[in-house]
Amino acid sequence: MASKTDQLLIVVSILEGRHFPKSPQLSLVVQASFDGEQLATDPVQHRDQPQFNTELAWELDRRTLHQHRLQRTPIKLQCFAVDSVSKRKENVGYIVLDLRSVQEVKQEPRWYPLLSSKYTKQRPALLLSMGLENDTKPTEPSPDRFKARKAPPRQGSPAVTDLLPDNLEAVLISEKGYHQVGPADHCCDMFVLSVTVAFATKLEQLIPSTMKLSAEGSEFFFYYSLLGNDITSEPFHNLLSPDFEPERASVRIRSSKQILQTFLSQSPSLQIHLCCGNHSLGSTDVSLAALSAVSMDLENKAATVEGAFVLQPPKRNKQTLPALPADLQPTVGVAVTLRKEESLGTKEGYGAQAQFYPLPTPPSIPPVEQRPRSSSPVRKPPDSSPPGPPLPPPSSHTESEAESLLEELQHGTEQAGLAAADLEVPVQQPGLTEATVEGGVSSVSVSAPKVSIPSSAHHYCFSLDLRSLGGLRLTHSIAATLRYAYQFFGSPAPIMTNPPVELQRNMEVSLPQSYCAFDFAALPQQLQDTFSRVPLVVEIWHRDSTSKDQLIGRASIQLSHLLSAERSRLVASTGEQSWRQTHQDRISVVRTHRPSEKVAELSYVATLEDLGLVKAREVIVSDSSQNEPVVPAPLPSHPAAHRPAAPSLNPTPLGPTAPTAPRETLEYRTALELEMWKEEQEDLFDDQLRKKELSHMQALAEEWKKRDREREALVKKKEVEYNVLEEQLQKTLSALEKREKQLAEAELETQRLQRELRAEHDLTQKELRTEHDLTQRELQESSRRLQQECDHRVALERDKVRLMEEERARLLQQIVDGESRYKQLEKEFQLYREQQNIRPEFRLQSEINLLTLEKVELERKLESTTKSKLHYKQQWGRALKELARFKQREQENAMTRLKKQQAELEAMRLRYLATEQKEMVQQDRQELDDIRNELNRLKQQEEDRLGPTPSLSGPAPPHSMNESADEHLARLLEERDTLLRTGVYTHDDRIIAELNRQIQDAMRDRGNL
């Protein structure tokens, strides 16, 4: 267990956000997951700049932190928008933080943009900071460890599925290593959910053309989250040929079948991202609900969802990337498997899934290996080819096909071999076992006593995968089976797909057992000539149980396209290099007697692997080769001749020495051996130089081919973009031409309308002119008639004027007469008024009018006085209330002053008591001094009477000690009086009691002195 100083805290501070759209009905929550543990912030308002101001921390020790850094465990932050009414959570985006960048030094906050954000108009981002802190808090037992167990269900209780919550969650049980889904007392079955990322193709289509496909230091990897566990694949550097190993990630789930199906149907899709650093280049969704839709017995067979899923670029890059055809879409091969742990654990152990496929029966002894196509097109592992003589190349096996691979290799040791159509090769069995080589019996017969393979021959492996058949043009459905043969591969027997598949119109089906691989040896020039001249013809037959098989059509596969395909280099675990070329196409199936009539469409994938040169061998066959094994004899590795064995250098002389020949002398033999050794060393040196030159040239060629592939990929990408732009330009041009035609037609129509309007205008002008002449004549006639009528009316009016003037003169005379009569009547009225004023009734009427006015004035004053009385009454009530309030306030103030005065009186009483006690103490001290003086005097008298003695006691205590005791006692009394004087403390308080005790002790000590 780690020490206290080794405990650390990984702290992630989530400060604020920006560029979020305003939504008052939603709230934002950030959920962080690390090592299966999830933490979340409090909900905040969904606005432009939300303020989180939250710190999330995980506790771990240094060793665990080191392991997480080695495993590149990420910290994933997911931002959710939560509906305040329905409590529904919607994923806004996520951020992946690298644990390796976390340091103990405090770092400045940084803005991290949300990946795969649903807000496309703006780029939301979060202000985050990460750091390591020492965990110094004491370890306390967690209260969560002590939980009451759930009671067992009673009889007659509702079903478990009825008691489940709306949203099931997988809870990690870290002590036992599984996730719990559903109630623990009802869900006891163990399941294993596995996700395998097997292969990827066309990944270069996800990045713009301006970016390099394989930049230095750039790492690409696949990332996905499985039940809260963040998983990344092995990083790779080249997008053209991703060289990552297929990896399987498995989690154990403890649940029941029904609840697990419900959980999978509610779970969101599994998002798999292709990442470069912290950026997502593309993603795809794999639905987990499909596992729940598959109705099968998990105890006997696993539920699987697999296939090649298209990677979609992020929304911000969709506008910059052009639309791609179906054959250039970037894909990733994913297999999701759900199985029961007990069912497969007894068969092959945990973590493996055995899938056995029937092998097709080959011909009598052809050097051909036929392998069924795997359920998922995964990459070929580089270390699957066994060492030794050239064998068929490693096939596409996943980790789940380990037992099938061993069975296939054992089966290949009895039947597989190398052959060519027009090339003499040694007839041998490369897969013979050691027992057969040592003393077994071989059934292979050899016609030639000694056959050798040319050193320039290459070992090739050709594989053909007939993917699908569709686009049927016939009116009736067929039971299709495909058949083909190619003599150049050394297999005279035809290859057929089985069983037949039913094909209908507007339908495309996959072909079962349509994968086959051929191993052969041939010269490169011979291979190119044959592939260029002879196409591979695939026949489509209709197999009917009631009638004879019927030939529907033929499809010709031009193998020359495979030679012009891009070459990729593969390196095996033994260090041997090979080259692979792959071509994928969709061809038409035509009638045999009418080549122009199209029947259907066939999709295929052809692969050619060049496994290098075939080593030259010699095969020596004896007469009993029918019953003895064939033993290959390898050629010498270099052309240097073997040295002959030298005779004895010291022969025993048997008589007189005879003159020896010069070639038989010891010096000549030594020189000959030296020259032969020099030649051998020169040959070795030349061989080493050739090998170094070959290795350097191969490295240069590989680098050149690598860059050439990058250039070709870039050119293809540019070509696709240019084709898209060309299509857009063609569409634009066709639209412009159509618009020009419409404009021309509109112009012609306008000219025609102008001519018609001009003709109508001329006709209208003529009609108007005619009408104008007629109107002019009518006007002249009518003006003449009007002139006559006017003259007649003027004469009549003149007569009327003359009559009116006469009437006016008469009326003026009447007015003058009326005015004279009015003046006379007015004079008479004045005289009458003067006579009336002199009478008493008139005076009384005047007084009545004055009194009436006075009455009105008094009534008005009475009304105003009444209103003033009411106002003063209201003011008087308010004044009484205010007076009562003032009186109450004054009473409260008087009570406060009274309490204060009582407190002061109490303080003065206590002070007086203290003073009185002090005086009593002083009196007691005076009495004690008198008693002491009296005792001293009596003692002195006794001493004087008895005389001096040698044992005199010491002098009395000095007076200074009395003074110090008095000062201490006075200080204590003063402190007690001061505290009591404040009014805060009483005699019952602890500090006052302590001071009283000290005062008594001081008085007792002073009395003792």
Side-chain angles (χ1 to χ4, degrees), residues 522-766:
L523 295 173
Q525 186 62 34
Q526 185 181 13
L527 178 73
Q528 293 182 2
D529 294 342
T530 306
F531 277 13
S532 301
R533 289 185 294 102
V534 182
L536 192 150
V537 179
V538 181
E539 298 177 350
I540 290 86
W541 290 80
H542 170 53
R543 180 171 294 180
D544 193 357
S545 59
T546 58
S547 61
K548 188 178 179 181
D549 294 350
Q550 179 183 0
L551 179 61
I552 301 300
R554 290 189 176 94
S556 297
I557 299 177
Q558 299 296 332
L559 300 180
S560 58
H561 298 328
L562 184 60
L563 299 175
S564 60
E566 179 184 357
R567 301 185 67 186
S568 59
R569 182 170 63 91
L570 303 175
V571 180
S573 59
T574 58
E576 297 180 357
Q577 299 180 359
S578 61
W579 297 90
R580 176 185 292 175
Q581 292 175 285
T582 304
H583 178 68
Q584 182 178 0
D585 197 2
R586 192 177 184 91
I587 58 177
S588 301
V589 180
V590 297
R591 291 277 191 178
T592 55
H593 52 280
R594 290 195 298 272
S596 60
E597 182 179 352
K598 182 179 177 181
V599 179
E601 291 183 353
L602 175 64
S603 177
Y604 72 93
V605 176
T607 305
L608 178 65
E609 293 187 16
D610 186 358
L611 303 178
L613 297 173
V614 178
K615 296 181 180 180
R617 293 177 176 83
E618 292 182 355
V619 181
I620 301 175
V621 183
S622 62
D623 295 337
S624 59
S625 61
Q626 297 288 340
N627 299 323
E628 294 183 1
V630 179
V631 180
L635 290 174
S637 59
H638 56 83
H642 294 281
R643 282 187 305 181
S648 177
L649 298 177
N650 297 320
T652 305
L654 298 177
T657 304
T660 59
R663 294 181 180 271
E664 296 179 359
T665 59
L666 183 60
E667 292 82 0
Y668 183 82
R669 292 178 180 178
T670 305
L672 180 59
E673 291 180 0
L674 181 61
E675 290 298 328
M676 293 176 64
W677 178 80
K678 286 182 179 179
E679 291 180 1
E680 185 177 358
Q681 294 299 320
E682 288 178 359
D683 293 339
L684 290 175
F685 183 71
D686 293 341
D687 192 13
Q688 292 177 358
L689 287 180
R690 282 194 298 272
K691 288 182 180 180
K692 288 184 178 180
E693 182 182 4
L694 181 60
S695 64
H696 288 309
M697 293 301 293
Q698 286 180 353
L700 291 175
E702 289 173 1
E703 184 65 24
W704 174 261
K705 289 178 180 178
K706 179 181 177 181
R707 297 186 180 182
D708 195 17
R709 286 196 301 270
E710 292 183 1
R711 286 193 294 269
E712 288 180 359
L714 187 60
V715 168
K716 289 181 180 179
K717 191 175 181 64
K718 287 285 188 182
E719 185 178 356
V720 171
E721 294 178 0
Y722 293 155
N723 290 334
V724 173
L725 291 176
E726 185 179 359
E727 291 178 359
Q728 293 179 356
L729 289 175
Q730 288 179 357
K731 291 180 181 178
T732 307
L733 288 175
S734 61
L736 289 175
E737 291 178 356
K738 185 177 179 180
R739 188 174 179 182
E740 287 181 357
K741 291 180 181 179
Q742 292 177 355
L743 290 175
E745 293 177 357
E747 186 176 358
L748 293 176
E749 183 68 19
T750 304
Q751 292 177 358
R752 185 180 63 79
L753 291 175
Q754 285 180 354
R755 288 194 298 271
E756 292 179 357
L757 290 174
R758 190 176 294 111
E760 292 179 359
H761 178 69
D762 295 340
L763 181 60
T764 305
Q765 288 290 335
K766 291 180 180 178

Side-chain angles (χ1 to χ4, degrees), residues 368-433:
V368 179
E369 179 188 4
Q370 300 183 16
R371 292 188 295 267
R373 183 166 61 90
S374 176
S375 59
S376 59
V378 297
R379 292 188 299 109
K380 185 188 300 182
D383 55 348
S384 60
S385 60
L391 286 176
S395 61
S396 304
H397 292 285
T398 59
E399 96 175 81
S400 63
E401 296 175 333
E403 298 182 3
S404 300
L405 179 61
L406 295 177
E407 181 182 354
E408 183 180 346
L409 291 178
Q410 292 174 3
H411 185 73
T413 57
E414 300 176 358
Q415 295 182 356
L418 296 175
D422 302 325
L423 180 65
E424 292 185 358
V425 295
V427 181
Q428 62 178 7
Q429 293 291 335
L432 290 176
T433 60

Side-chain angles (χ1 to χ4, degrees), residues 92 208 289 363 375 385 428 476 769 799 961:
V92 176
S375 59
S385 60
Q428 62 178 7
H476 59 86
R769 195 175 296 112
D799 294 339
M961 295 179 63

